[in-house]
Amino acid sequence: MEHIVIIGNGIAGVTAARHIRKNSDKKITIVSAETDYFFSRTALMYVYMGHMKFEHTQPYENWFWKKNRIDLVKGFVNEVKHENKSLILSDGKTISYDKLIIATGSKPNKFGWPGQDLDGVQGLYSKQDLDKLEANAPNNKVCKHAVIVGGGLIGIELAEMLRSRKIPVTFLVRESSFWNGVLPKGESEMINEHILEHHIDLRLATNLVEIHSDENGKVKSITTDKGDTIACDVVGLTAGVAPNIDFLKSSGIELGRGVKVNRYLETNIKDIFAIGDCAEQHEAIGNRRPIEAVWYTGRMMGEALAQTICGAKREYNPGHWFNSAKFLDIEYQTYGWVFSERGLKDNEQHFHWRHPKEYISITISYDKITRKFLGINTFGIRMRHKIFDRWLTEERNVEHIIAYLKDANFDPEFYSQNESQIVSKFNAEMGTNIKSKKKSWKRIFVKA
């Protein structure tokens, strides 16, 4: 019986295992040193905030794995020996494989800051990181002040977590405005306002210089490039993540920043594949990055690779870009491509609308020559994924999007609707006379 070994029990590896089992009778083993069972990584923050217990983050009962004949091995892989198709674990044990899937995810970036390995300095990625945070910052008596370094999605999650326990937070962001390498100016500035409203000490255009130790090897303060010294008990390093591939450096597997793969998620070594955050496409797919540390792309890679391993070879094709997140109290969705001013191309133009009183906004990107719709960001408005996926496939123009926005709105009943104000602003700026179309369930579920 062919033996499939998967290193890593995150969403990519577990999805591959589940779909291989659905389509075959192959022997499947998952090796992971993080936890006994798969859990939803995106839910870790809610465990710390008291919204759920850790066991609630596990999508499957513990008996699921035995019932589905998926063997779980708790261990850390030190080496991959592709010549004899074996793995060497840190305890000296070996595991043989016929096909190997590398799905080891990411690790927090460290940039050589003095003091970055002190007690009390940590990232927020793994279950072990959550356990460390519970020990380092159980309350505002033990942790009187925390500093977060890095202004991305993980950074703002960590800030929200700490503030839920009334721990004062200083947030160091090297950019001049929060996440302005990704978000257009109006959206980035709105998030700045929202962060400050939550009593978070946001310091823009500020870099970490050094983390200082007390006499016991624990963090006591940091200094910034502005010359400030900030006393703190915890430093959260959230300046992005990098593929977790150090154990592969002498394996013969081709590496870049991640494990190099083709469209079929194959490495340069026969019968070895890579998926999820640790996989790096030789050539990026469209506007996507070669490495995508995103939950749903890991799931899609796992599904595609399972088909290949089960004899129905399938390319990884993630389709139109989309993502969602939460900035404290503001829900964010993006479909297609809406670049910040830093990445805006010559043919692209933005239409931006913001609610005069609430943290609600949209930005629509379109081709200013052809009028083709390129993408949309929404803050505080929920949208239907399938509608935007369809409009992007059909290459609708921006005027169509504005006219049929009500079809895309997925906000619950009795939420205030903003389409009329959005249409009015678009007409005023563009000199058009678009009428907002009434929502049609027939269009929504058949064809817009």
Side-chain angles (χ1 to χ4, degrees):
M1 186 185 296
E2 187 175 48
H3 187 194
I4 312 300
V5 176
I6 301 167
I7 309 175
N9 71 344
I11 184 63
V14 164
T15 300
R18 287 180 50 246
H19 283 264
I20 292 168
R21 175 55 66 239
K22 280 182 183 180
N23 292 286
S24 77
D25 199 40
K26 299 177 191 294
K27 178 177 172 59
I28 303 171
T29 301
I30 297 177
V31 184
S32 173
E34 184 176 11
T35 54
D36 291 328
Y37 302 105
F38 168 58
F39 68 94
S40 176
R41 195 175 303 283
T42 54
L44 283 179
M45 67 181 292
Y46 301 110
V47 177
Y48 181 87
M49 293 169 71
H51 298 172
M52 58 174 65
K53 295 180 180 178
F54 179 72
E55 54 264 34
H56 300 155
T57 70
Q58 296 174 321
Y60 308 108
E61 299 287 353
N62 293 348
W63 49 257
F64 171 89
W65 310 99
K66 185 174 182 181
K67 179 182 177 182
N68 286 277
R69 291 171 290 120
I70 298 173
D71 297 329
L72 303 179
V73 174
K74 192 164 187 185
F76 185 85
V77 178
N78 270 356
E79 272 188 276
V80 174
K81 296 285 192 182
H82 71 84
E83 298 88 352
N84 63 357
K85 290 193 168 184
S86 67
L87 309 179
I88 300 175
L89 305 188
S90 57
D91 61 4
K93 292 179 182 176
T94 63
I95 298 176
S96 296
Y97 66 84
D98 294 302
K99 287 187 170 69
L100 175 66
I101 301 173
I102 301 165
T104 48
S106 298
K107 60 180 182 178
N109 281 329
K110 291 183 176 181
F111 294 105
W113 294 295
Q116 67 182 18
D117 296 317
L118 290 171
D119 186 20
V121 181
Q122 65 164 97
L124 182 66
Y125 182 83
S126 66
K127 172 62 165 59
Q128 285 78 5
D129 291 333
L130 177 67
D131 294 339
K132 280 183 186 177
L133 190 65
E134 194 63 64
N136 290 331
N139 53 52
N140 58 15
K141 305 287 190 299
V142 173
C143 180
K144 297 181 176 63
H145 198 100
V147 171
I148 298 171
V149 182
L153 296 177
I154 298 175
I156 202 161
E157 283 185 1
L158 182 55
E160 182 177 0
M161 292 165 67
L162 293 164
R163 290 301 298 141
S164 74
R165 299 194 183 186
K166 296 182 169 55
I167 295 171
V169 173
T170 295
F171 199 179
L172 306 185
V173 175
R174 65 175 181 156
E175 293 85 7
S176 58
S177 185
F178 181 84
W179 219 31
N180 67 357
V182 176
L183 299 178
K185 181 180 178 183
E187 298 171 351
S188 175
E189 290 176 348
M190 183 175 74
I191 300 303
N192 292 342
E193 295 171 26
H194 190 55
I195 291 170
L196 292 169
E197 187 179 71
H198 277 72
H199 308 291
I200 294 167
D201 176 22
L202 177 63
R203 304 200 184 186
L204 299 170
T206 303
N207 290 288
L208 173 67
V209 171
E210 186 173 354
I211 305 169
H212 303 281
S213 172
D214 66 11
E215 62 277 8
N216 299 313
K218 190 175 188 310
V219 60
K220 70 171 183 179
S221 64
I222 63 102
T223 51
T224 74
D225 60 353
K226 298 290 191 289
D228 298 318
T229 298
I230 303 169
C232 56
D233 305 291
V234 167
V235 175
L237 300 182
T238 62
V241 293
N244 185 23
I245 59 168
D246 289 347
F247 72 105
L248 297 171
K249 287 182 178 175
S250 60
S251 66
I253 298 169
E254 184 182 357
L255 306 176
R257 287 187 58 236
V259 181
K260 290 283 195 175
V261 295
N262 61 18
R263 292 289 191 265
Y264 294 99
L265 305 164
E266 299 165 321
T267 70
N268 62 310
I269 305 293
K270 188 178 186 315
D271 294 330
I272 298 181
F273 310 84
I275 56 177
D277 294 13
C278 69
E280 179 182 0
Q281 290 282 328
H282 284 288
E283 295 181 6
I285 300 172
N287 286 321
R288 290 171 177 267
R289 295 177 179 177
I291 299 171
E292 292 188 301
V294 181
W295 182 90
Y296 80 87
T297 57
R299 175 178 55 79
M300 293 172 80
M301 287 184 202
E303 292 176 1
L305 181 56
Q307 295 300 315
T308 294
I309 283 179
C310 293
K313 196 164 185 178
R314 180 191 291 182
E315 280 193 27
Y316 167 58
N317 178 16
H320 298 299
W321 169 255
F322 71 93
N323 204 3
S324 63
K326 193 163 76 74
F327 297 93
L328 300 166
D329 302 325
I330 306 174
E331 291 187 26
Y332 159 69
Q333 292 179 309
T334 183
Y335 302 98
W337 297 105
V338 183
F339 297 110
S340 71
E341 286 75 9
R342 194 184 305 175
L344 204 62
K345 297 172 185 174
D346 291 342
N347 65 310
E348 294 171 3
Q349 191 161 320
H350 287 169
F351 165 72
H352 179 71
W353 171 86
R354 179 177 171 182
H355 194 283
K357 295 180 180 178
E358 300 179 55
Y359 291 120
I360 299 173
S361 76
I362 71 163
T363 302
I364 296 176
S365 176
Y366 61 96
D367 189 303
K368 59 188 176 185
I369 299 167
T370 66
R371 312 298 290 173
K372 176 183 168 183
F373 169 62
L374 301 174
I376 185 170
N377 287 352
T378 70
F379 287 81
I381 306 174
R382 292 180 186 176
M383 294 291 187
R384 295 178 190 276
H385 177 189
K386 286 187 177 179
I387 291 286
F388 281 110
D389 196 62
R390 184 194 305 160
W391 287 343
L392 287 163
T393 297
E394 294 172 346
E395 299 189 348
R396 296 288 191 173
N397 63 32
V398 64
E399 287 78 13
H400 179 92
I401 308 307
I402 294 294
Y404 288 93
L405 264 181
K406 286 183 179 178
D407 283 359
N409 191 308
F410 194 56
D411 275 338
E413 193 177 4
F414 305 123
Y415 267 53
S416 59
Q417 305 296 307
N418 300 287
E419 285 80 14
S420 60
Q421 298 97 306
I422 295 168
V423 172
S424 293
K425 186 180 182 194
F426 186 88
N427 284 334
E429 288 188 6
M430 305 298 170
T432 51
N433 189 30
I434 295 170
K435 305 293 185 187
S436 183
K437 303 294 184 182
K438 187 177 180 181
K439 178 180 284 189
S440 163
W441 295 109
K442 183 177 180 181
R443 283 196 305 267
I444 289 168
F445 292 116
V446 183
K447 188 169 184 178

